[in-house]
Amino acid sequence: MRAPHAPRGPVRGRTFPSRATLRPLAAVSSGDGARVLLLGGGGRVGAATGAALKGFRPDIRFTVAGRDPPAPGGPLAGADFVLVEAGDEAGLTAAARGFDLIVHTAGPFQAGGGGWREGKGGDLLPPAPLAAAIAAGVPYVDVCDDSAFVRVGTG
């Protein structure tokens, strides 16, 4: 079985950045306060992901994006909040600019909206959060693989 990887070059009408153009979170020097946009950070999975990342890099500065702000008293309490829908590519692109990383934790992961969509001419377009990350030039991580993305990405 081949290891999953991000597709490079044109994939059904879209161009993906090469791995060399992405700057991983670990490359942001300690003390810089890496800026992370946590999509769905107001939910259970998002709060747990944020807490885990804070354990790895205590200097991370989170902005929670989604429908719900972080829970008072929760691990992301006090984080900035941006109201945006996971399917709003333009809104997500605008919100994503200036961040070091986007972490997508909003569900549903395997069903419903937010998955691959058909564009003009039958091109397969990536989910809005991934498309927004590409447009903003920000590295992207989804905590739960979209089964269609895995099929396309691993060929």
Side-chain angles (χ1 to χ4, degrees), residues 77-125:
D80 290 338
F81 175 67
V82 176
L83 180 64
V84 66
E85 288 290 326
D88 178 5
E89 185 177 334
L92 288 168
T93 300
R97 298 201 190 280
F99 283 89
D100 298 304
L101 178 68
I102 298 170
V103 179
H104 183 193
T105 67
F109 299 102
Q110 297 295 333
W116 288 83
R117 43 210 166 112
E118 190 170 325
K120 294 178 183 174
D123 288 343
L124 191 62
L125 303 178

Side-chain angles (χ1 to χ4, degrees), residues 1-151:
M1 180 173 147
R2 288 187 342 188
H5 63 278
R8 289 189 205 124
V11 176
R12 298 186 188 172
R14 293 300 278 239
T15 301
F16 293 79
S18 72
R19 288 186 185 149
T21 64
L22 300 179
R23 185 172 64 133
L25 183 61
V28 178
S29 65
S30 185
D32 283 354
R35 296 194 63 222
V36 174
L37 184 67
L38 192 59
L39 180 59
R44 184 180 53 81
V45 173
T49 301
L53 288 173
K54 273 284 199 189
F56 174 65
R57 287 286 304 270
D59 62 322
I60 291 175
R61 292 179 291 145
F62 286 107
T63 296
V64 171
R67 287 183 248 160
D68 300 310
L76 299 173
D80 290 338
F81 175 67
V82 176
L83 180 64
V84 66
E85 288 290 326
D88 178 5
E89 185 177 334
L92 288 168
T93 300
R97 298 201 190 280
F99 283 89
D100 298 304
L101 178 68
I102 298 170
V103 179
H104 183 193
T105 67
F109 299 102
Q110 297 295 333
W116 288 83
R117 43 210 166 112
E118 190 170 325
K120 294 178 183 174
D123 288 343
L124 191 62
L125 303 178
L130 174 57
I134 292 167
V138 179
Y140 171 89
V141 174
D142 190 327
V143 299
C144 291
D145 290 333
D146 178 305
S147 57
F149 178 74
V150 171
R151 281 193 300 276

